[in-house]
Amino acid sequence: MKIVKYTLFVIGGLVILIGAVLAYIAATFDPNQYKPQLVQAVKERTQRTLKLEGDIRLSFWPSIGAKIGKASLSERASDREFAAVEEVRVALKLMPLLAGRAIVDTVRVRGLRANIVKAKDGKLNVDDLAGPPPPKGAPAAKDAGADFTVDIAGIEITDAVVSYADAAAGAKYALSKLSLKTGRLAPGVPASVEFSAHIESDAPKLDLPVALKMRLTFDPDKQTLALADLALEAKGVAAGVTNLVVKLTGSADVDGAKERARVSLAGKIAESSVKARLDVSGFAAPAVNFDVEIDQLDVDRYLAPAPAGAKQKPAASEPEPRFDLSGLRALRAEGALKIGSFKANNVKGSNVRLAVKASSGRVVLDPVTADFYQGKLASAITINAAPATPTFAVRHRFNGISVGPLVKDLADSDILEGKGDVAADVTSQGDTVSALKKALNGSASLKLADGALKGIDIAGSIRSAKAKLGALSGEQTQAADSRQRTDFSELTATFRIANGVARNNDLDMKSPLLRVGGEGEINIGADSLNYLVKASIVGTSKGQGGREVEELRGVTVPVRVSGTLAAPSYKLDFGSTAKDAAKQAITDQLQKRLGGEAAKGDTTEGAKSGSSARDALKGLFRR
């Protein structure tokens, strides 16, 4: 017992002695007198200029550490500022340090400013601070400190500003009002983390305050990291989306040894409720597996509106914007996307389902299904971003859809209505919208019922022309009039598409009054059409022609459709119609007279047939 007693006395005495020595050093030692030597050492080692405008204060008990006032560090071989701080405090607890354990008191950094730059050659302006990389083939350094445990009471960073510039990409980002606060950081110990910052950028446009909270657990030996109770909030502008609001909760796990990561998120992005699962394997060339569910997605609502007076299309002297798909070349992904209701470019769908596979620059969306304009959509889309000029292949099948609302939403054109099936199987290539339209190749078809061709009333136009002119002759051109329509009970057509031009020669439109055929082309690249419609009158309808049209039964009326897709014009060739009418009248009279002669055997009436035919034509064109 005396041995223990004496031992405790000795240890107590040593502690008192060490404390007295450290107190004396703290009271008499002034580290500020060594500022010039410290500045010179930094200059010689890094070719950077260190400025120490504030005081340096040391502490030795119960922690050994330093508190540094206002300081800054320049860029390498330059007077331009690289980083600066208003105040930094770092300290190690002394007694655990003597036992080989580094327990760090809370690290505090206030007023940090840092400018990180990535040059065109890919080098960062911080690379020299990390020291030169080891030569190739050099043996790995022995981990002499493998048993040296690091334990940090916490980190507090306040009022920080960090900027990043990529000279090659021309991108600049700034994080202002940056704040970071953590709990104890030690292996296997869950630590609370609170982070907030205001992220800004011009290209891409970002103006986004962000706040993140979570519990972090890590194990350096097992190379694992876990994030629990994750809560992310952001509100502002990002990626062309204005008034963006993000509220997400979830978790994440990272296994560095197996190179695997898993993320689960749920919450709101803008007006959409989102559930997402993301699995990543292989960190050098990651392969992503995902499953995402969104209740609604209205892309148009969050796109920034065009400025007042802005041009809808670039001027001829302005280059057309190009889209860059090079980011898809390194993408390896497979997964599913489900969207309850969807809207983009004013086109709407619901119960959208997409299966996605991406590898080596090739992205395949197959199948793509949706409830679409009172019908069903089934599609397959392939994007190949591997070549310098990307290629596209699209196969659409629309079954039982209402075409009128679709055309109105898609092209703001009210030219056609009806319900039925539409199919398209096309390919294209290019990196602008114009190039894609001009390189379009493939086929398309449509089969509609109970609809109307809007912009013209063919039967009504014939009646009007005859009433005004007294006879059908010459040509009459008229612009599309949305109040007019030519109804049909059935319409079918197929198209062959080559170099952006869709050609058709089998248009077949039927109605109680008309039979319509046609042929021509639609120049998709030039947004124009040149089409000849041939309408044959086969019946009557009070609303579409009346008695005058009945007299033209069996006569074909050529209608030339031309102009732009949005505002076509119609030219009716009444001269050709009159000729057909005359031929038909003569044929009818001759058949009638000849038929009567055959029945009666009376040859005396034959001399009157010519007179009867002439009388019939006079009655037709002079009524």
Side-chain angles (χ1 to χ4, degrees), residues 573-594:
D573 187 354
F574 291 120
S576 177
T577 302
K579 293 178 182 178
D580 288 345
K583 291 179 182 178
Q584 185 64 43
I586 293 172
T587 301
D588 289 347
Q589 288 295 331
L590 287 175
Q591 289 178 347
K592 180 178 180 181
R593 301 305 296 174
L594 291 174

PDB file of all heavy atoms in Angstrom, residues 573-594:
ATOM      1  N   ASP A 573     -58.969  24.632-107.763  1.00  0.00           N
ATOM      2  CA  ASP A 573     -58.899  24.762-109.218  1.00  0.00           C
ATOM      3  C   ASP A 573     -60.289  24.497-109.803  1.00  0.00           C
ATOM      4  O   ASP A 573     -60.636  23.372-110.151  1.00  0.00           O
ATOM      5  CB  ASP A 573     -57.881  23.765-109.773  1.00  0.00           C
ATOM      6  CG  ASP A 573     -57.636  23.961-111.264  1.00  0.00           C
ATOM      7  OD1 ASP A 573     -58.333  24.793-111.872  1.00  0.00           O
ATOM      8  OD2 ASP A 573     -56.744  23.276-111.807  1.00  0.00           O
ATOM      9  N   PHE A 574     -61.077  25.586-109.942  1.00  0.00           N
ATOM     10  CA  PHE A 574     -62.432  25.433-110.443  1.00  0.00           C
ATOM     11  C   PHE A 574     -62.488  25.247-111.958  1.00  0.00           C
ATOM     12  O   PHE A 574     -63.477  24.756-112.491  1.00  0.00           O
ATOM     13  CB  PHE A 574     -63.296  26.625-110.029  1.00  0.00           C
ATOM     14  CG  PHE A 574     -63.566  26.653-108.556  1.00  0.00           C
ATOM     15  CD1 PHE A 574     -63.158  27.735-107.788  1.00  0.00           C
ATOM     16  CD2 PHE A 574     -64.215  25.607-107.940  1.00  0.00           C
ATOM     17  CE1 PHE A 574     -63.408  27.757-106.427  1.00  0.00           C
ATOM     18  CE2 PHE A 574     -64.483  25.634-106.578  1.00  0.00           C
ATOM     19  CZ  PHE A 574     -64.074  26.708-105.817  1.00  0.00           C
ATOM     20  N   GLY A 575     -61.436  25.679-112.649  1.00  0.00           N
ATOM     21  CA  GLY A 575     -61.397  25.462-114.091  1.00  0.00           C
ATOM     22  C   GLY A 575     -61.405  23.987-114.403  1.00  0.00           C
ATOM     23  O   GLY A 575     -62.157  23.506-115.254  1.00  0.00           O
ATOM     24  N   SER A 576     -60.579  23.241-113.684  1.00  0.00           N
ATOM     25  CA  SER A 576     -60.554  21.792-113.867  1.00  0.00           C
ATOM     26  C   SER A 576     -61.872  21.173-113.441  1.00  0.00           C
ATOM     27  O   SER A 576     -62.376  20.236-114.063  1.00  0.00           O
ATOM     28  CB  SER A 576     -59.395  21.190-113.057  1.00  0.00           C
ATOM     29  OG  SER A 576     -59.399  19.790-113.154  1.00  0.00           O
ATOM     30  N   THR A 577     -62.465  21.735-112.376  1.00  0.00           N
ATOM     31  CA  THR A 577     -63.751  21.226-111.911  1.00  0.00           C
ATOM     32  C   THR A 577     -64.844  21.406-112.957  1.00  0.00           C
ATOM     33  O   THR A 577     -65.669  20.511-113.181  1.00  0.00           O
ATOM     34  CB  THR A 577     -64.160  21.953-110.619  1.00  0.00           C
ATOM     35  OG1 THR A 577     -63.154  21.755-109.645  1.00  0.00           O
ATOM     36  CG2 THR A 577     -65.497  21.438-110.094  1.00  0.00           C
ATOM     37  N   ALA A 578     -64.875  22.576-113.605  1.00  0.00           N
ATOM     38  CA  ALA A 578     -65.886  22.845-114.632  1.00  0.00           C
ATOM     39  C   ALA A 578     -65.771  21.865-115.788  1.00  0.00           C
ATOM     40  O   ALA A 578     -66.779  21.380-116.330  1.00  0.00           O
ATOM     41  CB  ALA A 578     -65.759  24.277-115.129  1.00  0.00           C
ATOM     42  N   LYS A 579     -64.563  21.580-116.213  1.00  0.00           N
ATOM     43  CA  LYS A 579     -64.359  20.625-117.299  1.00  0.00           C
ATOM     44  C   LYS A 579     -64.894  19.245-116.914  1.00  0.00           C
ATOM     45  O   LYS A 579     -65.571  18.577-117.699  1.00  0.00           O
ATOM     46  CB  LYS A 579     -62.879  20.539-117.649  1.00  0.00           C
ATOM     47  CG  LYS A 579     -62.310  21.817-118.258  1.00  0.00           C
ATOM     48  CD  LYS A 579     -60.819  21.658-118.526  1.00  0.00           C
ATOM     49  CE  LYS A 579     -60.233  22.956-119.092  1.00  0.00           C
ATOM     50  NZ  LYS A 579     -58.774  22.838-119.313  1.00  0.00           N
ATOM     51  N   ASP A 580     -64.570  18.849-115.670  1.00  0.00           N
ATOM     52  CA  ASP A 580     -65.063  17.546-115.218  1.00  0.00           C
ATOM     53  C   ASP A 580     -66.585  17.531-115.138  1.00  0.00           C
ATOM     54  O   ASP A 580     -67.231  16.530-115.471  1.00  0.00           O
ATOM     55  CB  ASP A 580     -64.476  17.209-113.852  1.00  0.00           C
ATOM     56  CG  ASP A 580     -62.994  16.869-113.939  1.00  0.00           C
ATOM     57  OD1 ASP A 580     -62.523  16.631-115.059  1.00  0.00           O
ATOM     58  OD2 ASP A 580     -62.333  16.850-112.879  1.00  0.00           O
ATOM     59  N   ALA A 581     -67.148  18.685-114.706  1.00  0.00           N
ATOM     60  CA  ALA A 581     -68.600  18.761-114.601  1.00  0.00           C
ATOM     61  C   ALA A 581     -69.255  18.636-115.969  1.00  0.00           C
ATOM     62  O   ALA A 581     -70.282  17.965-116.144  1.00  0.00           O
ATOM     63  CB  ALA A 581     -69.020  20.063-113.928  1.00  0.00           C
ATOM     64  N   ALA A 582     -68.677  19.316-116.951  1.00  0.00           N
ATOM     65  CA  ALA A 582     -69.231  19.257-118.310  1.00  0.00           C
ATOM     66  C   ALA A 582     -69.155  17.843-118.863  1.00  0.00           C
ATOM     67  O   ALA A 582     -70.121  17.332-119.460  1.00  0.00           O
ATOM     68  CB  ALA A 582     -68.478  20.227-119.224  1.00  0.00           C
ATOM     69  N   LYS A 583     -68.011  17.204-118.683  1.00  0.00           N
ATOM     70  CA  LYS A 583     -67.859  15.838-119.166  1.00  0.00           C
ATOM     71  C   LYS A 583     -68.877  14.910-118.504  1.00  0.00           C
ATOM     72  O   LYS A 583     -69.466  14.046-119.144  1.00  0.00           O
ATOM     73  CB  LYS A 583     -66.440  15.348-118.882  1.00  0.00           C
ATOM     74  CG  LYS A 583     -65.369  16.038-119.710  1.00  0.00           C
ATOM     75  CD  LYS A 583     -63.993  15.506-119.336  1.00  0.00           C
ATOM     76  CE  LYS A 583     -62.895  16.218-120.130  1.00  0.00           C
ATOM     77  NZ  LYS A 583     -61.546  15.732-119.742  1.00  0.00           N
ATOM     78  N   GLN A 584     -69.058  15.112-117.174  1.00  0.00           N
ATOM     79  CA  GLN A 584     -69.976  14.241-116.459  1.00  0.00           C
ATOM     80  C   GLN A 584     -71.419  14.453-116.930  1.00  0.00           C
ATOM     81  O   GLN A 584     -72.192  13.499-117.099  1.00  0.00           O
ATOM     82  CB  GLN A 584     -69.878  14.511-114.946  1.00  0.00           C
ATOM     83  CG  GLN A 584     -70.709  13.566-114.096  1.00  0.00           C
ATOM     84  CD  GLN A 584     -70.220  12.136-114.208  1.00  0.00           C
ATOM     85  OE1 GLN A 584     -69.025  11.883-114.187  1.00  0.00           O
ATOM     86  NE2 GLN A 584     -71.163  11.201-114.363  1.00  0.00           N
ATOM     87  N   ALA A 585     -71.800  15.729-117.183  1.00  0.00           N
ATOM     88  CA  ALA A 585     -73.160  16.023-117.630  1.00  0.00           C
ATOM     89  C   ALA A 585     -73.433  15.414-118.996  1.00  0.00           C
ATOM     90  O   ALA A 585     -74.507  14.832-119.249  1.00  0.00           O
ATOM     91  CB  ALA A 585     -73.387  17.527-117.661  1.00  0.00           C
ATOM     92  N   ILE A 586     -72.475  15.555-119.909  1.00  0.00           N
ATOM     93  CA  ILE A 586     -72.635  14.976-121.240  1.00  0.00           C
ATOM     94  C   ILE A 586     -72.744  13.468-121.155  1.00  0.00           C
ATOM     95  O   ILE A 586     -73.607  12.839-121.792  1.00  0.00           O
ATOM     96  CB  ILE A 586     -71.463  15.396-122.151  1.00  0.00           C
ATOM     97  CG1 ILE A 586     -71.516  16.894-122.415  1.00  0.00           C
ATOM     98  CG2 ILE A 586     -71.496  14.621-123.469  1.00  0.00           C
ATOM     99  CD1 ILE A 586     -70.302  17.426-123.149  1.00  0.00           C
ATOM    100  N   THR A 587     -71.880  12.865-120.348  1.00  0.00           N
ATOM    101  CA  THR A 587     -71.909  11.409-120.213  1.00  0.00           C
ATOM    102  C   THR A 587     -73.244  10.933-119.665  1.00  0.00           C
ATOM    103  O   THR A 587     -73.841   9.963-120.151  1.00  0.00           O
ATOM    104  CB  THR A 587     -70.766  10.949-119.289  1.00  0.00           C
ATOM    105  OG1 THR A 587     -69.523  11.358-119.843  1.00  0.00           O
ATOM    106  CG2 THR A 587     -70.779   9.432-119.131  1.00  0.00           C
ATOM    107  N   ASP A 588     -73.739  11.640-118.633  1.00  0.00           N
ATOM    108  CA  ASP A 588     -75.004  11.238-118.034  1.00  0.00           C
ATOM    109  C   ASP A 588     -76.156  11.336-119.046  1.00  0.00           C
ATOM    110  O   ASP A 588     -77.009  10.435-119.142  1.00  0.00           O
ATOM    111  CB  ASP A 588     -75.318  12.107-116.814  1.00  0.00           C
ATOM    112  CG  ASP A 588     -74.399  11.814-115.641  1.00  0.00           C
ATOM    113  OD1 ASP A 588     -73.703  10.776-115.691  1.00  0.00           O
ATOM    114  OD2 ASP A 588     -74.358  12.630-114.687  1.00  0.00           O
ATOM    115  N   GLN A 589     -76.182  12.459-119.801  1.00  0.00           N
ATOM    116  CA  GLN A 589     -77.273  12.653-120.759  1.00  0.00           C
ATOM    117  C   GLN A 589     -77.211  11.633-121.894  1.00  0.00           C
ATOM    118  O   GLN A 589     -78.227  11.086-122.317  1.00  0.00           O
ATOM    119  CB  GLN A 589     -77.219  14.079-121.330  1.00  0.00           C
ATOM    120  CG  GLN A 589     -77.631  15.158-120.346  1.00  0.00           C
ATOM    121  CD  GLN A 589     -79.091  15.041-119.947  1.00  0.00           C
ATOM    122  OE1 GLN A 589     -79.934  14.559-120.729  1.00  0.00           O
ATOM    123  NE2 GLN A 589     -79.409  15.449-118.718  1.00  0.00           N
ATOM    124  N   LEU A 590     -75.987  11.391-122.364  1.00  0.00           N
ATOM    125  CA  LEU A 590     -75.837  10.426-123.447  1.00  0.00           C
ATOM    126  C   LEU A 590     -76.261   9.035-122.986  1.00  0.00           C
ATOM    127  O   LEU A 590     -76.951   8.308-123.716  1.00  0.00           O
ATOM    128  CB  LEU A 590     -74.394  10.402-123.947  1.00  0.00           C
ATOM    129  CG  LEU A 590     -73.956  11.624-124.778  1.00  0.00           C
ATOM    130  CD1 LEU A 590     -72.476  11.540-125.117  1.00  0.00           C
ATOM    131  CD2 LEU A 590     -74.776  11.710-126.075  1.00  0.00           C
ATOM    132  N   GLN A 591     -75.807   8.659-121.788  1.00  0.00           N
ATOM    133  CA  GLN A 591     -76.177   7.345-121.274  1.00  0.00           C
ATOM    134  C   GLN A 591     -77.691   7.236-121.102  1.00  0.00           C
ATOM    135  O   GLN A 591     -78.305   6.197-121.381  1.00  0.00           O
ATOM    136  CB  GLN A 591     -75.470   7.064-119.944  1.00  0.00           C
ATOM    137  CG  GLN A 591     -73.979   6.825-120.095  1.00  0.00           C
ATOM    138  CD  GLN A 591     -73.307   6.606-118.762  1.00  0.00           C
ATOM    139  OE1 GLN A 591     -73.902   6.875-117.723  1.00  0.00           O
ATOM    140  NE2 GLN A 591     -72.070   6.120-118.803  1.00  0.00           N
ATOM    141  N   LYS A 592     -78.277   8.352-120.648  1.00  0.00           N
ATOM    142  CA  LYS A 592     -79.729   8.336-120.443  1.00  0.00           C
ATOM    143  C   LYS A 592     -80.464   8.200-121.768  1.00  0.00           C
ATOM    144  O   LYS A 592     -81.406   7.407-121.898  1.00  0.00           O
ATOM    145  CB  LYS A 592     -80.140   9.621-119.728  1.00  0.00           C
ATOM    146  CG  LYS A 592     -81.640   9.708-119.470  1.00  0.00           C
ATOM    147  CD  LYS A 592     -81.957  10.990-118.724  1.00  0.00           C
ATOM    148  CE  LYS A 592     -83.459  11.094-118.466  1.00  0.00           C
ATOM    149  NZ  LYS A 592     -83.798  12.346-117.749  1.00  0.00           N
ATOM    150  N   ARG A 593     -80.026   9.025-122.768  1.00  0.00           N
ATOM    151  CA  ARG A 593     -80.709   8.994-124.050  1.00  0.00           C
ATOM    152  C   ARG A 593     -80.470   7.683-124.778  1.00  0.00           C
ATOM    153  O   ARG A 593     -81.396   7.091-125.332  1.00  0.00           O
ATOM    154  CB  ARG A 593     -80.224  10.157-124.927  1.00  0.00           C
ATOM    155  CG  ARG A 593     -80.450  11.540-124.322  1.00  0.00           C
ATOM    156  CD  ARG A 593     -81.894  11.780-123.958  1.00  0.00           C
ATOM    157  NE  ARG A 593     -82.728  11.760-125.154  1.00  0.00           N
ATOM    158  CZ  ARG A 593     -84.051  11.823-125.171  1.00  0.00           C
ATOM    159  NH1 ARG A 593     -84.694  11.878-123.998  1.00  0.00           N
ATOM    160  NH2 ARG A 593     -84.728  11.817-126.299  1.00  0.00           N
ATOM    161  N   LEU A 594     -79.189   7.234-124.747  1.00  0.00           N
ATOM    162  CA  LEU A 594     -78.886   5.987-125.455  1.00  0.00           C
ATOM    163  C   LEU A 594     -79.582   4.810-124.791  1.00  0.00           C
ATOM    164  O   LEU A 594     -80.035   3.871-125.444  1.00  0.00           O
ATOM    165  CB  LEU A 594     -77.381   5.750-125.502  1.00  0.00           C
ATOM    166  CG  LEU A 594     -76.604   6.728-126.403  1.00  0.00           C
ATOM    167  CD1 LEU A 594     -75.106   6.495-126.262  1.00  0.00           C
ATOM    168  CD2 LEU A 594     -77.034   6.571-127.867  1.00  0.00           C
TER     169      LEU A 594
END
